[in-house]
Amino acid sequence: AGPRPLGRIGRADAWDDQATCEHAKIACLLDNLGEGVIADDLHSRFFYANQTCSGLLGGPLGQMIGTKLRDVEANAGINKVLDSREPIVREKTYIETIGRYVSVRIFPLHLRGEFEGVVSIFKDVTELNSLSREITRITEMANEFQNQIQARDAVADIGIIGTDPRFAKSIEQALLVARTDATVLLLG
């Protein structure tokens, strides 16, 4: 019959047995985790998604449950784990359908010793990725500025006398590239 969906559990006074109560507690715990949790069955259909997942993926839970992931995102890591039954952990992977980067842990789901599907736990790292790129860009700019300052200081230390700004700029550029194996041709 396959795994039983956890789904959304009703109010506490509607619980009819201890197992339902336990499922409700687990669902509440997963909804408040702060990370998206989704589970797919052997046929790549979502059978569980928590509230955080709904927010991260931008769709209502009711529309997610039963959806075949292979039809939506064929190259998803979940599909790879379904095929290989080997876990995947990635600090940054891109989800094409929503245009976001996520940090993800995907692992096979075994119940009573049988492979039943895949569970994925993920969080959005798009903003962190953008900040990291911006830090890299600013660091490169700061390094370039530092190199220019060092080149000007070196020109002053050498004692080159000249008032033409183009000549001074040529010397500064030569000092900048002197640290590399680049070929420099000065004309004029």
Side-chain angles (χ1 to χ4, degrees):
R4 180 177 161 210
L6 294 178
R8 307 273 49 103
I9 307 297
R11 295 186 343 233
D13 60 357
W15 295 336
D16 57 0
D17 63 11
Q18 186 64 28
T20 303
C21 178
E22 294 304 316
H23 280 137
K25 289 177 186 176
I26 291 169
C28 181
L29 172 95
L30 293 174
D31 281 344
N32 291 291
L33 223 124
E35 293 184 295
V37 178
I38 56 175
D40 278 20
D41 65 15
L42 295 173
H43 306 288
S44 184
R45 284 186 308 253
F46 289 128
F47 70 89
Y48 177 80
N50 70 352
Q51 291 290 339
T52 305
C53 175
S54 173
L56 290 173
L57 298 181
L61 290 175
Q63 289 180 357
M64 289 181 184
I65 304 301
T67 300
K68 278 194 168 190
L69 183 59
R70 287 192 199 275
D71 295 343
V72 177
E73 184 120 10
N75 295 323
I78 290 176
N79 294 327
K80 293 174 183 164
V81 175
L82 271 171
D83 295 338
S84 72
R85 298 183 184 186
E86 295 293 325
I88 292 176
V89 176
R90 293 191 184 131
E91 290 302 313
K92 182 179 80 174
T93 190
Y94 188 70
I95 300 178
E96 293 175 24
T97 53
I98 60 170
R100 311 283 296 169
Y101 286 94
V102 296
S103 171
V104 67
R105 298 177 311 278
I106 309 168
F107 50 92
L109 176 63
H110 292 88
L111 299 172
R112 295 173 298 282
E114 296 290 323
F115 179 68
E116 294 286 340
V118 174
V119 174
S120 175
I121 302 170
F122 61 97
K123 63 182 172 183
D124 190 339
V125 294
T126 304
E127 188 173 336
L128 289 174
N129 186 55
S130 295
L131 290 172
S132 177
R133 282 196 319 262
E134 187 65 14
I135 288 170
T136 300
R137 186 184 71 78
I138 290 171
T139 300
E140 288 170 356
M141 287 174 54
N143 288 339
E144 177 63 26
F145 185 64
Q146 180 67 30
N147 289 339
Q148 289 175 3
I149 291 171
Q150 289 173 349
R152 285 190 186 136
D153 290 346
V155 167
D157 290 345
I158 294 171
I160 296 176
I161 300 172
T163 57
D164 186 348
R166 291 176 296 177
F167 175 70
K169 182 74 172 168
S170 296
I171 298 297
E172 285 176 19
Q173 288 177 336
L175 290 169
L176 282 174
V177 296
R179 295 183 204 133
T180 70
D181 59 359
T183 303
V184 177
L185 174 61
L186 295 177
L187 299 173

